[in-house]
Amino acid sequence: MITVFGYPLRSPSPFARLVLLAALSALLMVLDHRGHYLDRLRSTTMVIIRPIYAVAGLPAGVIEAVGDFFTTSRTLRHEVATLRDETRELKARQLSYDALQSENDRLRQRLASAARVATRLMAADLIEVAAEPYARKIVVARGSRQGIFVGQPAIDAHGVLGQVTQVAADVSRITLITDPGHAIPVLNNRSGLRAIVFGTGDPDTLQVRYQTASADIKPGDLLVTSGLGGTFPPGYPVGVVHKIIHDPNEAFLYIHVRPAAKLNHGKQAILIWSTRAPLNAPNPPEHGPARK
């Protein structure tokens, strides 16, 4: 019992305390709901008790961080190993994709080039190169079953490769224009001069023969097929005049020509059926379209 100014004061009963606290709580809730008077008090209280929460949760946080460290390390090592393997695989595939892309680009160029002057065309994969020192021949995986015939022209994206000289059922031999036994009629694209280009056995050199000093030809001239003889259709690039040697003691000029075709590059040749093909030349089979 408490005495105040001589009057005894008794402590409220538990029920009275309950009613009083309930009424106070209801009053505070109403004031907070309508006027948000306790927001500042709440914010201040949170600032005060935040360190207490941090200290209380420190052990659990340390344990969790250690667990995450080891788990993350294992996960990262696994991911690095996986990415390393994937990188190797992608690099290997990229080599193949680069080759295929270059091959597709070359085929598109060849198809576009041939379509301007040929009625039909067919891509043929290179399967062999002649081993003789001065022979310039290649073997391709197309033959009589695909309609290939002796004398058929072969080109690439840049110019004339040569012509078919032997045919079997599924393979054919192409004699390149640099072969010593090959000759092709040409036309000087600048002056209109007719000439014949001969192979020399050198993979990078052709030769124009039997031209005198008065011939209208000079370095840089483009030589194209003239269409004479009926083997090659006109207008295909054969080579570019590289060097002209005039020996006063000789009757004819030494004219060196660089082939337009990339004779030592690529894995395909394009075989064409021109409108001036020999009358006995077979047509390519209808069930196997030439454009591939």
Side-chain angles (χ1 to χ4, degrees):
M1 181 180 294
I2 300 175
T3 302
V4 178
F5 301 110
Y7 295 97
L9 296 177
R10 296 179 179 179
S11 60
S13 64
F15 180 75
R17 293 177 184 178
L18 177 60
V19 173
L20 178 62
L21 292 176
L24 180 60
S25 299
L27 177 61
L28 292 175
M29 287 189 291
V30 171
L31 293 175
D32 183 51
H33 177 71
R34 293 186 176 182
H36 303 285
Y37 295 107
L38 299 180
D39 285 346
R40 182 174 295 181
L41 178 61
R42 187 181 295 108
S43 299
T44 304
T45 304
M46 290 297 297
V47 172
I48 294 173
I49 65 176
R50 184 173 181 181
I52 300 175
Y53 282 120
V55 173
L58 186 60
V62 171
I63 295 173
E64 184 178 358
V66 172
D68 288 342
F69 173 80
F70 289 106
T71 302
T72 303
S73 297
R74 289 194 300 269
T75 303
L76 289 177
R77 285 196 296 269
H78 177 70
E79 290 180 354
V80 168
T82 302
L83 290 174
R84 188 181 293 115
D85 294 339
E86 291 178 355
T87 300
R88 293 195 191 99
E89 182 179 352
L90 289 174
K91 285 183 177 179
R93 290 184 179 183
Q94 184 66 35
L95 296 175
S96 171
Y97 292 155
D98 290 343
L100 288 174
Q101 182 62 42
S102 300
E103 181 176 302
N104 288 338
D105 292 341
R106 289 194 299 271
L107 284 175
R108 291 192 190 100
Q109 293 173 358
R110 290 167 182 165
L111 293 176
S113 173
R116 291 194 297 267
V117 292
T119 57
R120 302 293 297 273
L121 53 113
M122 179 182 291
D125 292 333
L126 176 66
I127 58 176
E128 184 183 338
V129 178
E132 294 85 351
Y134 295 101
R136 302 299 170 187
K137 296 179 173 64
I138 60 174
V139 178
V140 296
R142 298 289 184 181
S144 58
R145 292 183 181 178
Q146 291 78 37
I148 308 303
F149 58 92
V150 173
Q152 186 167 11
I155 65 171
D156 71 357
H158 307 279
V160 176
L161 283 176
Q163 66 184 91
V164 176
T165 51
Q166 292 180 354
V167 178
D170 294 302
V171 297
S172 299
R173 186 181 299 274
I174 297 174
T175 298
L176 302 179
I177 58 175
T178 50
D179 188 272
H182 192 277
I184 179 172
V186 298
L187 196 69
N188 188 319
N189 200 49
R190 177 187 59 84
S191 65
L193 176 70
R194 293 190 302 273
I196 299 178
V197 171
F198 294 85
T200 62
D202 187 324
D204 299 317
T205 304
L206 301 167
Q207 187 177 32
V208 176
R209 301 177 186 173
Y210 314 124
Q211 295 294 323
T212 63
S214 61
D216 188 4
I217 187 170
K218 60 183 181 180
D221 284 351
L222 174 64
L223 305 181
V224 300
T225 52
S226 64
L228 299 177
T231 299
F232 293 92
Y236 278 100
V238 174
V240 176
V241 176
H242 171 58
K243 181 171 59 176
I244 299 177
I245 300 175
H246 182 196
D247 187 347
N249 298 320
E250 297 290 340
F252 301 109
L253 300 174
Y254 290 93
I255 303 174
H256 298 275
V257 178
R258 285 182 176 172
K262 304 298 183 182
L263 301 176
N264 295 323
H265 300 78
K267 298 189 299 181
Q268 295 90 19
I270 294 294
L271 301 168
I272 61 176
W273 284 257
S274 69
T275 55
R276 300 189 61 182
L279 294 178
N280 60 349
N283 291 323
E286 295 299 330
H287 62 277
R291 296 181 183 272
K292 296 188 68 176

Short mmCIF file of all heavy atoms in Angstrom, two decimals, residues 1-4 6-12:
data_model
loop_
_atom_site.label_atom_id
_atom_site.label_comp_id
_atom_site.label_asym_id
_atom_site.label_seq_id
_atom_site.Cartn_x
_atom_site.Cartn_y
_atom_site.Cartn_z
N MET A 1 0.86 -1.19 0.00
CA MET A 1 0.00 0.00 0.00
C MET A 1 0.89 1.23 0.00
O MET A 1 1.84 1.33 0.76
CB MET A 1 -0.92 0.01 1.21
CG MET A 1 -1.85 1.19 1.25
SD MET A 1 -2.91 1.16 2.71
CE MET A 1 -3.89 -0.28 2.37
N ILE A 2 0.49 2.25 -0.75
CA ILE A 2 1.24 3.50 -0.85
C ILE A 2 0.41 4.62 -0.21
O ILE A 2 -0.79 4.73 -0.48
CB ILE A 2 1.53 3.84 -2.33
CG1 ILE A 2 2.36 2.72 -2.97
CG2 ILE A 2 2.29 5.16 -2.43
CD1 ILE A 2 2.59 2.90 -4.43
N THR A 3 1.09 5.46 0.62
CA THR A 3 0.39 6.58 1.27
C THR A 3 0.82 7.89 0.63
O THR A 3 2.01 8.19 0.54
CB THR A 3 0.70 6.63 2.78
OG1 THR A 3 0.32 5.36 3.36
CG2 THR A 3 -0.05 7.75 3.46
N VAL A 4 -0.14 8.69 0.22
CA VAL A 4 0.12 9.99 -0.40
C VAL A 4 -0.68 11.04 0.36
O VAL A 4 -1.93 10.96 0.38
CB VAL A 4 -0.27 9.99 -1.89
CG1 VAL A 4 -0.02 11.37 -2.48
CG2 VAL A 4 0.50 8.93 -2.64
N GLY A 6 -1.09 11.34 3.35
CA GLY A 6 -1.84 10.71 4.43
C GLY A 6 -2.98 9.84 3.97
O GLY A 6 -3.68 9.24 4.80
N TYR A 7 -3.18 9.78 2.69
CA TYR A 7 -4.25 8.94 2.18
C TYR A 7 -3.65 7.67 1.58
O TYR A 7 -2.75 7.72 0.75
CB TYR A 7 -5.04 9.68 1.08
CG TYR A 7 -5.77 10.89 1.60
CD1 TYR A 7 -5.20 12.16 1.47
CD2 TYR A 7 -7.03 10.76 2.20
CE1 TYR A 7 -5.90 13.28 1.97
CE2 TYR A 7 -7.70 11.86 2.68
CZ TYR A 7 -7.13 13.12 2.57
OH TYR A 7 -7.78 14.22 3.07
N PRO A 8 -4.16 6.59 2.02
CA PRO A 8 -3.64 5.32 1.48
C PRO A 8 -4.15 5.09 0.05
O PRO A 8 -5.31 5.32 -0.27
CB PRO A 8 -4.17 4.28 2.45
CG PRO A 8 -5.41 4.88 3.02
CD PRO A 8 -5.21 6.37 3.07
N LEU A 9 -3.21 4.67 -0.84
CA LEU A 9 -3.57 4.34 -2.23
C LEU A 9 -3.28 2.87 -2.49
O LEU A 9 -2.18 2.38 -2.21
CB LEU A 9 -2.77 5.20 -3.23
CG LEU A 9 -3.03 6.70 -3.19
CD1 LEU A 9 -2.11 7.41 -4.17
CD2 LEU A 9 -4.49 6.99 -3.53
N ARG A 10 -4.30 2.26 -2.92
CA ARG A 10 -4.12 0.85 -3.25
C ARG A 10 -3.81 0.69 -4.73
O ARG A 10 -4.31 1.45 -5.57
CB ARG A 10 -5.38 0.06 -2.89
CG ARG A 10 -5.68 0.04 -1.41
CD ARG A 10 -6.96 -0.76 -1.18
NE ARG A 10 -7.27 -0.81 0.25
CZ ARG A 10 -8.33 -1.42 0.76
NH1 ARG A 10 -9.18 -2.03 -0.09
NH2 ARG A 10 -8.56 -1.44 2.07
N SER A 11 -2.98 -0.28 -5.06
CA SER A 11 -2.66 -0.57 -6.45
C SER A 11 -3.89 -1.12 -7.15
O SER A 11 -4.71 -1.81 -6.53
CB SER A 11 -1.51 -1.58 -6.54
OG SER A 11 -1.88 -2.80 -5.91
N PRO A 12 -4.08 -0.78 -8.41
CA PRO A 12 -5.25 -1.26 -9.13
C PRO A 12 -5.23 -2.78 -9.25
O PRO A 12 -4.18 -3.42 -9.27
CB PRO A 12 -5.15 -0.59 -10.49
CG PRO A 12 -3.74 -0.23 -10.66
CD PRO A 12 -3.19 0.03 -9.29
#
